[in-house]
Amino acid sequence: PAWQPGHAHCDALSFELDVGRRQIVVDSGLHGYDGDPLREYVRSTRAHNTVSIAGREQAELWGTFRMARRWTVREATTVADATAKFAFHGAISPYWSSRVRHSRDFRLRAGLFSVEDLIEGAEGMPAESYIHLHPDLEPSVDGESVTLRAADREVARIEFFGFDRLRGVQGQEDPPHGWYCPDFGVRYAAPVIIACVDRLKASQRFGFTISWK
């Protein structure tokens, strides 16, 4: 609620994805509260499956339960699409600029989940799109695609477009990145795929698809 944002995280336009009973894309979770070394991380934009612009947070965070200025929701609606089982369109502006707009479209089809982003009003700034994977998965990067394996079996494939480069992180301590916290006080090093745009255009699209059999 607007009058008590202390438990809120920078997770606007984030998502999770399960295929059958297998977790593929996960939320980083919650590790602890006062004095916890991962408190800042799990609330941050980079800990969620969304986009950070210019390395800045979606909302103004500090301390254990402090949040001041927040993102503004511009749009949030399901979309009629006969080709998709589910489609959603959302858009926000981060707390630090009403001129900057991040729009995101999700579409779920048989064996395919697509995410398309549009960033406007952030020309010249860098951007990073994060995909947090379950720790049981092992990603293998090949150009603009990533194969996800578990127990030596391919379980899914991610195809990227519109990015300058991909990089990965797992179990990083300083600053914290690549941690999965499924329960209070529990953490596992987990792979994160980071898709990077070095310099945004005035209006720029990018995104990815996740496919499975």
Side-chain angles (χ1 to χ4, degrees), residues 55-74:
R56 303 187 69 173
E57 302 288 3
Q58 294 174 335
E60 196 172 28
L61 300 172
W62 74 99
T64 301
F65 290 108
R66 296 292 183 263
M67 178 182 282
R69 293 174 291 174
R70 278 151 275 167
W71 60 85
T72 301
V73 177
R74 302 297 185 186

mmCIF file with all atom_site columns, all heavy atoms in Angstrom, residues 55-74:
data_model
loop_
_atom_site.group_PDB
_atom_site.id
_atom_site.type_symbol
_atom_site.label_atom_id
_atom_site.label_alt_id
_atom_site.label_comp_id
_atom_site.label_asym_id
_atom_site.label_entity_id
_atom_site.label_seq_id
_atom_site.pdbx_PDB_ins_code
_atom_site.Cartn_x
_atom_site.Cartn_y
_atom_site.Cartn_z
_atom_site.occupancy
_atom_site.B_iso_or_equiv
_atom_site.pdbx_formal_charge
_atom_site.auth_seq_id
_atom_site.auth_comp_id
_atom_site.auth_asym_id
_atom_site.auth_atom_id
_atom_site.pdbx_PDB_model_num
ATOM 1   N N   . GLY A 1 55 ? 21.883 1.955  -14.535 1.00 0.00 ? 55 GLY A N   1
ATOM 2   C CA  . GLY A 1 55 ? 22.318 1.401  -13.264 1.00 0.00 ? 55 GLY A CA  1
ATOM 3   C C   . GLY A 1 55 ? 21.531 1.899  -12.066 1.00 0.00 ? 55 GLY A C   1
ATOM 4   O O   . GLY A 1 55 ? 21.964 1.698  -10.926 1.00 0.00 ? 55 GLY A O   1
ATOM 5   N N   . ARG A 1 56 ? 20.375 2.505  -12.301 1.00 0.00 ? 56 ARG A N   1
ATOM 6   C CA  . ARG A 1 56 ? 19.594 3.100  -11.224 1.00 0.00 ? 56 ARG A CA  1
ATOM 7   C C   . ARG A 1 56 ? 18.415 2.209  -10.850 1.00 0.00 ? 56 ARG A C   1
ATOM 8   O O   . ARG A 1 56 ? 17.953 1.386  -11.635 1.00 0.00 ? 56 ARG A O   1
ATOM 9   C CB  . ARG A 1 56 ? 19.118 4.499  -11.609 1.00 0.00 ? 56 ARG A CB  1
ATOM 10  C CG  . ARG A 1 56 ? 20.269 5.425  -11.985 1.00 0.00 ? 56 ARG A CG  1
ATOM 11  C CD  . ARG A 1 56 ? 19.809 6.845  -12.194 1.00 0.00 ? 56 ARG A CD  1
ATOM 12  N NE  . ARG A 1 56 ? 19.383 7.468  -10.940 1.00 0.00 ? 56 ARG A NE  1
ATOM 13  C CZ  . ARG A 1 56 ? 19.055 8.750  -10.807 1.00 0.00 ? 56 ARG A CZ  1
ATOM 14  N NH1 . ARG A 1 56 ? 19.088 9.539  -11.869 1.00 0.00 ? 56 ARG A NH1 1
ATOM 15  N NH2 . ARG A 1 56 ? 18.687 9.249  -9.654  1.00 0.00 ? 56 ARG A NH2 1
ATOM 16  N N   . GLU A 1 57 ? 17.917 2.414  -9.627  1.00 0.00 ? 57 GLU A N   1
ATOM 17  C CA  . GLU A 1 57 ? 16.801 1.630  -9.137  1.00 0.00 ? 57 GLU A CA  1
ATOM 18  C C   . GLU A 1 57 ? 15.474 2.173  -9.668  1.00 0.00 ? 57 GLU A C   1
ATOM 19  O O   . GLU A 1 57 ? 15.360 3.344  -10.021 1.00 0.00 ? 57 GLU A O   1
ATOM 20  C CB  . GLU A 1 57 ? 16.767 1.655  -7.595  1.00 0.00 ? 57 GLU A CB  1
ATOM 21  C CG  . GLU A 1 57 ? 18.025 1.145  -6.927  1.00 0.00 ? 57 GLU A CG  1
ATOM 22  C CD  . GLU A 1 57 ? 18.202 -0.365 -7.048  1.00 0.00 ? 57 GLU A CD  1
ATOM 23  O OE1 . GLU A 1 57 ? 17.376 -1.031 -7.691  1.00 0.00 ? 57 GLU A OE1 1
ATOM 24  O OE2 . GLU A 1 57 ? 19.190 -0.871 -6.489  1.00 0.00 ? 57 GLU A OE2 1
ATOM 25  N N   . GLN A 1 58 ? 14.460 1.320  -9.665  1.00 0.00 ? 58 GLN A N   1
ATOM 26  C CA  . GLN A 1 58 ? 13.121 1.754  -10.046 1.00 0.00 ? 58 GLN A CA  1
ATOM 27  C C   . GLN A 1 58 ? 12.511 2.667  -8.978  1.00 0.00 ? 58 GLN A C   1
ATOM 28  O O   . GLN A 1 58 ? 11.684 3.529  -9.277  1.00 0.00 ? 58 GLN A O   1
ATOM 29  C CB  . GLN A 1 58 ? 12.205 0.549  -10.244 1.00 0.00 ? 58 GLN A CB  1
ATOM 30  C CG  . GLN A 1 58 ? 12.578 -0.334 -11.413 1.00 0.00 ? 58 GLN A CG  1
ATOM 31  C CD  . GLN A 1 58 ? 11.715 -1.571 -11.467 1.00 0.00 ? 58 GLN A CD  1
ATOM 32  O OE1 . GLN A 1 58 ? 11.169 -2.012 -10.448 1.00 0.00 ? 58 GLN A OE1 1
ATOM 33  N NE2 . GLN A 1 58 ? 11.580 -2.147 -12.641 1.00 0.00 ? 58 GLN A NE2 1
ATOM 34  N N   . ALA A 1 59 ? 12.897 2.441  -7.726  1.00 0.00 ? 59 ALA A N   1
ATOM 35  C CA  . ALA A 1 59 ? 12.371 3.224  -6.603  1.00 0.00 ? 59 ALA A CA  1
ATOM 36  C C   . ALA A 1 59 ? 13.522 3.637  -5.701  1.00 0.00 ? 59 ALA A C   1
ATOM 37  O O   . ALA A 1 59 ? 14.622 3.089  -5.765  1.00 0.00 ? 59 ALA A O   1
ATOM 38  C CB  . ALA A 1 59 ? 11.346 2.412  -5.804  1.00 0.00 ? 59 ALA A CB  1
ATOM 39  N N   . GLU A 1 60 ? 13.266 4.597  -4.856  1.00 0.00 ? 60 GLU A N   1
ATOM 40  C CA  . GLU A 1 60 ? 14.276 5.160  -3.954  1.00 0.00 ? 60 GLU A CA  1
ATOM 41  C C   . GLU A 1 60 ? 14.289 4.347  -2.658  1.00 0.00 ? 60 GLU A C   1
ATOM 42  O O   . GLU A 1 60 ? 13.358 4.412  -1.854  1.00 0.00 ? 60 GLU A O   1
ATOM 43  C CB  . GLU A 1 60 ? 13.930 6.616  -3.674  1.00 0.00 ? 60 GLU A CB  1
ATOM 44  C CG  . GLU A 1 60 ? 15.042 7.431  -3.075  1.00 0.00 ? 60 GLU A CG  1
ATOM 45  C CD  . GLU A 1 60 ? 14.687 8.905  -3.006  1.00 0.00 ? 60 GLU A CD  1
ATOM 46  O OE1 . GLU A 1 60 ? 13.485 9.239  -2.900  1.00 0.00 ? 60 GLU A OE1 1
ATOM 47  O OE2 . GLU A 1 60 ? 15.614 9.723  -3.054  1.00 0.00 ? 60 GLU A OE2 1
ATOM 48  N N   . LEU A 1 61 ? 15.372 3.565  -2.472  1.00 0.00 ? 61 LEU A N   1
ATOM 49  C CA  . LEU A 1 61 ? 15.475 2.644  -1.337  1.00 0.00 ? 61 LEU A CA  1
ATOM 50  C C   . LEU A 1 61 ? 16.635 3.007  -0.434  1.00 0.00 ? 61 LEU A C   1
ATOM 51  O O   . LEU A 1 61 ? 17.676 3.467  -0.900  1.00 0.00 ? 61 LEU A O   1
ATOM 52  C CB  . LEU A 1 61 ? 15.710 1.216  -1.846  1.00 0.00 ? 61 LEU A CB  1
ATOM 53  C CG  . LEU A 1 61 ? 14.669 0.577  -2.754  1.00 0.00 ? 61 LEU A CG  1
ATOM 54  C CD1 . LEU A 1 61 ? 15.205 -0.738 -3.279  1.00 0.00 ? 61 LEU A CD1 1
ATOM 55  C CD2 . LEU A 1 61 ? 13.367 0.370  -2.019  1.00 0.00 ? 61 LEU A CD2 1
ATOM 56  N N   . TRP A 1 62 ? 16.466 2.767  0.862   1.00 0.00 ? 62 TRP A N   1
ATOM 57  C CA  . TRP A 1 62 ? 17.592 2.824  1.788   1.00 0.00 ? 62 TRP A CA  1
ATOM 58  C C   . TRP A 1 62 ? 17.168 2.146  3.084   1.00 0.00 ? 62 TRP A C   1
ATOM 59  O O   . TRP A 1 62 ? 15.987 1.899  3.330   1.00 0.00 ? 62 TRP A O   1
ATOM 60  C CB  . TRP A 1 62 ? 18.065 4.263  2.044   1.00 0.00 ? 62 TRP A CB  1
ATOM 61  C CG  . TRP A 1 62 ? 17.173 5.095  2.934   1.00 0.00 ? 62 TRP A CG  1
ATOM 62  C CD1 . TRP A 1 62 ? 17.343 5.348  4.270   1.00 0.00 ? 62 TRP A CD1 1
ATOM 63  C CD2 . TRP A 1 62 ? 15.974 5.783  2.550   1.00 0.00 ? 62 TRP A CD2 1
ATOM 64  N NE1 . TRP A 1 62 ? 16.335 6.146  4.736   1.00 0.00 ? 62 TRP A NE1 1
ATOM 65  C CE2 . TRP A 1 62 ? 15.480 6.435  3.703   1.00 0.00 ? 62 TRP A CE2 1
ATOM 66  C CE3 . TRP A 1 62 ? 15.271 5.919  1.348   1.00 0.00 ? 62 TRP A CE3 1
ATOM 67  C CZ2 . TRP A 1 62 ? 14.319 7.194  3.700   1.00 0.00 ? 62 TRP A CZ2 1
ATOM 68  C CZ3 . TRP A 1 62 ? 14.117 6.679  1.331   1.00 0.00 ? 62 TRP A CZ3 1
ATOM 69  C CH2 . TRP A 1 62 ? 13.655 7.305  2.490   1.00 0.00 ? 62 TRP A CH2 1
ATOM 70  N N   . GLY A 1 63 ? 18.146 1.809  3.920   1.00 0.00 ? 63 GLY A N   1
ATOM 71  C CA  . GLY A 1 63 ? 17.826 1.166  5.195   1.00 0.00 ? 63 GLY A CA  1
ATOM 72  C C   . GLY A 1 63 ? 17.148 -0.178 4.992   1.00 0.00 ? 63 GLY A C   1
ATOM 73  O O   . GLY A 1 63 ? 17.160 -0.772 3.921   1.00 0.00 ? 63 GLY A O   1
ATOM 74  N N   . THR A 1 64 ? 16.559 -0.656 6.073   1.00 0.00 ? 64 THR A N   1
ATOM 75  C CA  . THR A 1 64 ? 15.921 -1.968 6.047   1.00 0.00 ? 64 THR A CA  1
ATOM 76  C C   . THR A 1 64 ? 14.509 -1.916 5.487   1.00 0.00 ? 64 THR A C   1
ATOM 77  O O   . THR A 1 64 ? 14.098 -2.786 4.732   1.00 0.00 ? 64 THR A O   1
ATOM 78  C CB  . THR A 1 64 ? 15.873 -2.560 7.476   1.00 0.00 ? 64 THR A CB  1
ATOM 79  O OG1 . THR A 1 64 ? 17.208 -2.657 7.973   1.00 0.00 ? 64 THR A OG1 1
ATOM 80  C CG2 . THR A 1 64 ? 15.269 -3.962 7.460   1.00 0.00 ? 64 THR A CG2 1
ATOM 81  N N   . PHE A 1 65 ? 13.761 -0.877 5.857   1.00 0.00 ? 65 PHE A N   1
ATOM 82  C CA  . PHE A 1 65 ? 12.354 -0.779 5.454   1.00 0.00 ? 65 PHE A CA  1
ATOM 83  C C   . PHE A 1 65 ? 12.019 0.598  4.900   1.00 0.00 ? 65 PHE A C   1
ATOM 84  O O   . PHE A 1 65 ? 10.919 1.093  5.103   1.00 0.00 ? 65 PHE A O   1
ATOM 85  C CB  . PHE A 1 65 ? 11.437 -1.060 6.647   1.00 0.00 ? 65 PHE A CB  1
ATOM 86  C CG  . PHE A 1 65 ? 11.456 -2.493 7.102   1.00 0.00 ? 65 PHE A CG  1
ATOM 87  C CD1 . PHE A 1 65 ? 12.073 -2.837 8.286   1.00 0.00 ? 65 PHE A CD1 1
ATOM 88  C CD2 . PHE A 1 65 ? 10.863 -3.482 6.343   1.00 0.00 ? 65 PHE A CD2 1
ATOM 89  C CE1 . PHE A 1 65 ? 12.083 -4.155 8.718   1.00 0.00 ? 65 PHE A CE1 1
ATOM 90  C CE2 . PHE A 1 65 ? 10.876 -4.805 6.772   1.00 0.00 ? 65 PHE A CE2 1
ATOM 91  C CZ  . PHE A 1 65 ? 11.485 -5.138 7.958   1.00 0.00 ? 65 PHE A CZ  1
ATOM 92  N N   . ARG A 1 66 ? 12.974 1.220  4.213   1.00 0.00 ? 66 ARG A N   1
ATOM 93  C CA  . ARG A 1 66 ? 12.727 2.572  3.723   1.00 0.00 ? 66 ARG A CA  1
ATOM 94  C C   . ARG A 1 66 ? 12.558 2.589  2.213   1.00 0.00 ? 66 ARG A C   1
ATOM 95  O O   . ARG A 1 66 ? 13.382 2.082  1.479   1.00 0.00 ? 66 ARG A O   1
ATOM 96  C CB  . ARG A 1 66 ? 13.871 3.517  4.134   1.00 0.00 ? 66 ARG A CB  1
ATOM 97  C CG  . ARG A 1 66 ? 14.002 3.711  5.643   1.00 0.00 ? 66 ARG A CG  1
ATOM 98  C CD  . ARG A 1 66 ? 12.821 4.483  6.185   1.00 0.00 ? 66 ARG A CD  1
ATOM 99  N NE  . ARG A 1 66 ? 12.953 4.743  7.609   1.00 0.00 ? 66 ARG A NE  1
ATOM 100 C CZ  . ARG A 1 66 ? 12.386 3.995  8.557   1.00 0.00 ? 66 ARG A CZ  1
ATOM 101 N NH1 . ARG A 1 66 ? 11.668 2.929  8.214   1.00 0.00 ? 66 ARG A NH1 1
ATOM 102 N NH2 . ARG A 1 66 ? 12.542 4.291  9.828   1.00 0.00 ? 66 ARG A NH2 1
ATOM 103 N N   . MET A 1 67 ? 11.477 3.188  1.764   1.00 0.00 ? 67 MET A N   1
ATOM 104 C CA  . MET A 1 67 ? 11.236 3.443  0.358   1.00 0.00 ? 67 MET A CA  1
ATOM 105 C C   . MET A 1 67 ? 10.496 4.764  0.261   1.00 0.00 ? 67 MET A C   1
ATOM 106 O O   . MET A 1 67 ? 9.493  4.976  0.957   1.00 0.00 ? 67 MET A O   1
ATOM 107 C CB  . MET A 1 67 ? 10.421 2.336  -0.310  1.00 0.00 ? 67 MET A CB  1
ATOM 108 C CG  . MET A 1 67 ? 10.124 2.626  -1.792  1.00 0.00 ? 67 MET A CG  1
ATOM 109 S SD  . MET A 1 67 ? 9.101  1.366  -2.603  1.00 0.00 ? 67 MET A SD  1
ATOM 110 C CE  . MET A 1 67 ? 10.313 0.086  -2.894  1.00 0.00 ? 67 MET A CE  1
ATOM 111 N N   . ALA A 1 68 ? 10.999 5.658  -0.579  1.00 0.00 ? 68 ALA A N   1
ATOM 112 C CA  . ALA A 1 68 ? 10.361 6.975  -0.721  1.00 0.00 ? 68 ALA A CA  1
ATOM 113 C C   . ALA A 1 68 ? 9.706  7.061  -2.098  1.00 0.00 ? 68 ALA A C   1
ATOM 114 O O   . ALA A 1 68 ? 8.671  6.458  -2.340  1.00 0.00 ? 68 ALA A O   1
ATOM 115 C CB  . ALA A 1 68 ? 11.389 8.082  -0.508  1.00 0.00 ? 68 ALA A CB  1
ATOM 116 N N   . ARG A 1 69 ? 10.333 7.791  -3.011  1.00 0.00 ? 69 ARG A N   1
ATOM 117 C CA  . ARG A 1 69 ? 9.745  7.932  -4.346  1.00 0.00 ? 69 ARG A CA  1
ATOM 118 C C   . ARG A 1 69 ? 9.758  6.591  -5.079  1.00 0.00 ? 69 ARG A C   1
ATOM 119 O O   . ARG A 1 69 ? 10.725 5.855  -5.010  1.00 0.00 ? 69 ARG A O   1
ATOM 120 C CB  . ARG A 1 69 ? 10.517 8.989  -5.138  1.00 0.00 ? 69 ARG A CB  1
ATOM 121 C CG  . ARG A 1 69 ? 10.356 10.394 -4.583  1.00 0.00 ? 69 ARG A CG  1
ATOM 122 C CD  . ARG A 1 69 ? 11.259 11.371 -5.303  1.00 0.00 ? 69 ARG A CD  1
ATOM 123 N NE  . ARG A 1 69 ? 12.667 11.124 -4.988  1.00 0.00 ? 69 ARG A NE  1
ATOM 124 C CZ  . ARG A 1 69 ? 13.679 11.768 -5.573  1.00 0.00 ? 69 ARG A CZ  1
ATOM 125 N NH1 . ARG A 1 69 ? 13.429 12.674 -6.509  1.00 0.00 ? 69 ARG A NH1 1
ATOM 126 N NH2 . ARG A 1 69 ? 14.926 11.496 -5.237  1.00 0.00 ? 69 ARG A NH2 1
ATOM 127 N N   . ARG A 1 70 ? 8.648  6.294  -5.744  1.00 0.00 ? 70 ARG A N   1
ATOM 128 C CA  . ARG A 1 70 ? 8.491  5.017  -6.426  1.00 0.00 ? 70 ARG A CA  1
ATOM 129 C C   . ARG A 1 70 ? 8.234  5.223  -7.912  1.00 0.00 ? 70 ARG A C   1
ATOM 130 O O   . ARG A 1 70 ? 7.963  6.331  -8.362  1.00 0.00 ? 70 ARG A O   1
ATOM 131 C CB  . ARG A 1 70 ? 7.315  4.253  -5.821  1.00 0.00 ? 70 ARG A CB  1
ATOM 132 C CG  . ARG A 1 70 ? 7.683  3.506  -4.557  1.00 0.00 ? 70 ARG A CG  1
ATOM 133 C CD  . ARG A 1 70 ? 6.482  3.380  -3.633  1.00 0.00 ? 70 ARG A CD  1
ATOM 134 N NE  . ARG A 1 70 ? 6.362  4.582  -2.810  1.00 0.00 ? 70 ARG A NE  1
ATOM 135 C CZ  . ARG A 1 70 ? 5.295  4.882  -2.083  1.00 0.00 ? 70 ARG A CZ  1
ATOM 136 N NH1 . ARG A 1 70 ? 4.247  4.093  -2.105  1.00 0.00 ? 70 ARG A NH1 1
ATOM 137 N NH2 . ARG A 1 70 ? 5.282  5.980  -1.350  1.00 0.00 ? 70 ARG A NH2 1
ATOM 138 N N   . TRP A 1 71 ? 8.315  4.127  -8.658  1.00 0.00 ? 71 TRP A N   1
ATOM 139 C CA  . TRP A 1 71 ? 7.980  4.181  -10.072 1.00 0.00 ? 71 TRP A CA  1
ATOM 140 C C   . TRP A 1 71 ? 6.512  4.571  -10.238 1.00 0.00 ? 71 TRP A C   1
ATOM 141 O O   . TRP A 1 71 ? 5.683  4.354  -9.356  1.00 0.00 ? 71 TRP A O   1
ATOM 142 C CB  . TRP A 1 71 ? 8.249  2.843  -10.743 1.00 0.00 ? 71 TRP A CB  1
ATOM 143 C CG  . TRP A 1 71 ? 7.451  1.712  -10.155 1.00 0.00 ? 71 TRP A CG  1
ATOM 144 C CD1 . TRP A 1 71 ? 6.173  1.338  -10.486 1.00 0.00 ? 71 TRP A CD1 1
ATOM 145 C CD2 . TRP A 1 71 ? 7.865  0.832  -9.106  1.00 0.00 ? 71 TRP A CD2 1
ATOM 146 N NE1 . TRP A 1 71 ? 5.766  0.277  -9.719  1.00 0.00 ? 71 TRP A NE1 1
ATOM 147 C CE2 . TRP A 1 71 ? 6.789  -0.053 -8.859  1.00 0.00 ? 71 TRP A CE2 1
ATOM 148 C CE3 . TRP A 1 71 ? 9.044  0.696  -8.362  1.00 0.00 ? 71 TRP A CE3 1
ATOM 149 C CZ2 . TRP A 1 71 ? 6.859  -1.054 -7.901  1.00 0.00 ? 71 TRP A CZ2 1
ATOM 150 C CZ3 . TRP A 1 71 ? 9.100  -0.290 -7.411  1.00 0.00 ? 71 TRP A CZ3 1
ATOM 151 C CH2 . TRP A 1 71 ? 8.020  -1.154 -7.181  1.00 0.00 ? 71 TRP A CH2 1
ATOM 152 N N   . THR A 1 72 ? 6.190  5.113  -11.388 1.00 0.00 ? 72 THR A N   1
ATOM 153 C CA  . THR A 1 72 ? 4.817  5.447  -11.744 1.00 0.00 ? 72 THR A CA  1
ATOM 154 C C   . THR A 1 72 ? 4.308  4.430  -12.761 1.00 0.00 ? 72 THR A C   1
ATOM 155 O O   . THR A 1 72 ? 4.964  4.176  -13.767 1.00 0.00 ? 72 THR A O   1
ATOM 156 C CB  . THR A 1 72 ? 4.739  6.856  -12.365 1.00 0.00 ? 72 THR A CB  1
ATOM 157 O OG1 . THR A 1 72 ? 5.239  7.801  -11.414 1.00 0.00 ? 72 THR A OG1 1
ATOM 158 C CG2 . THR A 1 72 ? 3.303  7.212  -12.729 1.00 0.00 ? 72 THR A CG2 1
ATOM 159 N N   . VAL A 1 73 ? 3.172  3.837  -12.478 1.00 0.00 ? 73 VAL A N   1
ATOM 160 C CA  . VAL A 1 73 ? 2.569  2.900  -13.426 1.00 0.00 ? 73 VAL A CA  1
ATOM 161 C C   . VAL A 1 73 ? 1.871  3.692  -14.525 1.00 0.00 ? 73 VAL A C   1
ATOM 162 O O   . VAL A 1 73 ? 0.976  4.489  -14.257 1.00 0.00 ? 73 VAL A O   1
ATOM 163 C CB  . VAL A 1 73 ? 1.558  1.974  -12.727 1.00 0.00 ? 73 VAL A CB  1
ATOM 164 C CG1 . VAL A 1 73 ? 0.880  1.056  -13.746 1.00 0.00 ? 73 VAL A CG1 1
ATOM 165 C CG2 . VAL A 1 73 ? 2.254  1.147  -11.653 1.00 0.00 ? 73 VAL A CG2 1
ATOM 166 N N   . ARG A 1 74 ? 2.295  3.485  -15.755 1.00 0.00 ? 74 ARG A N   1
ATOM 167 C CA  . ARG A 1 74 ? 1.704  4.164  -16.910 1.00 0.00 ? 74 ARG A CA  1
ATOM 168 C C   . ARG A 1 74 ? 0.602  3.322  -17.558 1.00 0.00 ? 74 ARG A C   1
ATOM 169 O O   . ARG A 1 74 ? -0.409 3.850  -17.995 1.00 0.00 ? 74 ARG A O   1
ATOM 170 C CB  . ARG A 1 74 ? 2.783  4.481  -17.942 1.00 0.00 ? 74 ARG A CB  1
ATOM 171 C CG  . ARG A 1 74 ? 3.921  5.352  -17.412 1.00 0.00 ? 74 ARG A CG  1
ATOM 172 C CD  . ARG A 1 74 ? 3.419  6.710  -16.983 1.00 0.00 ? 74 ARG A CD  1
ATOM 173 N NE  . ARG A 1 74 ? 4.524  7.594  -16.579 1.00 0.00 ? 74 ARG A NE  1
ATOM 174 C CZ  . ARG A 1 74 ? 4.358  8.794  -16.046 1.00 0.00 ? 74 ARG A CZ  1
ATOM 175 N NH1 . ARG A 1 74 ? 3.133  9.259  -15.835 1.00 0.00 ? 74 ARG A NH1 1
ATOM 176 N NH2 . ARG A 1 74 ? 5.399  9.519  -15.706 1.00 0.00 ? 74 ARG A NH2 1
#
